[in-house]
Amino acid sequence: WVLFGLGIFLKKAKQIKVLQHLLFPLIIVFITVAIYGKTATYDFIRYDSNEYIIENQHVRNGLSLQNIKWAFEFTKNTNTTYWHPITFISHMVDCQLYWLNPFGHRLTNIVLHLLNAILLYSFLNWTTGAPFKSFFISILFAIHPINVEGVIWIAERKNLLSSFFWLLAMMIY
């Protein structure tokens, strides 16, 4: 009955715009959550989650002016090797909201990946006017194995944030 009802709905739709603006993004969300949803229950991956989140007092203490200032500083005496302040601030927000519960940190990664897939679809559809091709590419992006590391590994949020801001910049341009 669901497929029958969907078929009638699609026939009655005046234009393809219903697919472009509602159905395709919902399908992207459904498929992405179906693939990555279970990962929200995983624990921290101890490669560098300890260094970046668990043992990092600036991140653990959440948002404060002092911690945000620390995120934008880069000295050789810090316990991290790379300078990525927005990533640290996003981890601070997670610690403020979820403390050290990996479920919340992973949920943030999944939501960022969802936003990236929908932004990619919106950008491609807007620039090409080809909703089916844009949808197909966005689904490939959402499920492609190259994105697994960025979604599952909490400390790799920098990839998700980089993609998010890049896609926003493309939309604004």
Side-chain angles (χ1 to χ4, degrees):
W1 288 102
V2 172
L3 292 175
F4 178 73
L6 182 62
I8 291 174
F9 172 76
L10 293 177
K11 285 183 182 179
K12 299 260 182 193
K14 291 183 179 180
Q15 296 177 351
I16 197 79
K17 292 192 185 296
V18 172
L19 285 174
Q20 291 176 356
H21 300 298
L22 182 63
L23 191 58
F24 285 163
L26 284 175
I27 293 171
I28 292 169
V29 168
F30 177 76
I31 289 173
T32 305
V33 169
I35 290 174
Y36 290 108
K38 184 169 176 29
T39 66
T41 62
Y42 296 171
D43 199 6
F44 284 104
I45 298 173
R46 303 291 176 162
Y47 292 122
D48 55 2
S49 292
N50 289 340
E51 185 178 334
Y52 284 101
I53 302 163
I54 298 169
E55 296 172 1
N56 187 328
Q57 290 302 317
H58 296 285
V59 173
R60 285 178 63 150
N61 292 335
L63 283 176
S64 71
L65 220 44
Q66 179 184 359
N67 290 340
I68 292 172
K69 181 182 173 195
W70 169 85
F72 282 97
E73 292 176 347
F74 183 77
T75 62
K76 291 186 177 188
N77 297 329
T78 60
N79 61 340
T80 59
T81 337
Y82 302 105
W83 186 74
H84 36 72
I86 303 301
T87 304
F88 279 127
I89 291 170
S90 76
H91 288 307
M92 288 176 197
V93 170
D94 279 358
C95 284
Q96 190 83 32
L97 296 173
Y98 316 115
W99 184 232
L100 292 177
N101 182 353
F103 176 82
H105 292 261
R106 288 195 193 289
L107 186 63
T108 301
N109 280 10
I110 293 168
V111 168
L112 281 170
H113 186 59
L114 278 170
L115 290 173
N116 288 340
I118 291 171
L119 277 172
L120 179 63
Y121 168 74
S122 299
F123 174 74
L124 292 174
N125 186 33
W126 181 46
T127 56
T128 66
F132 292 102
K133 291 177 184 176
S134 302
F135 172 71
F136 180 72
I137 295 298
S138 299
I139 290 292
L140 286 179
F141 172 81
I143 66 173
H144 197 279
I146 201 166
N147 292 314
V148 169
E149 182 179 316
V151 177
I152 293 176
W153 193 358
I154 295 169
E156 276 298 304
R157 183 171 299 165
K158 53 192 149 289
N159 292 342
L160 296 169
L161 290 169
S162 173
S163 298
F164 178 74
F165 288 116
W166 171 68
L167 288 164
L168 275 180
M170 295 297 289
M171 292 290 287
I172 291 169
Y173 179 76

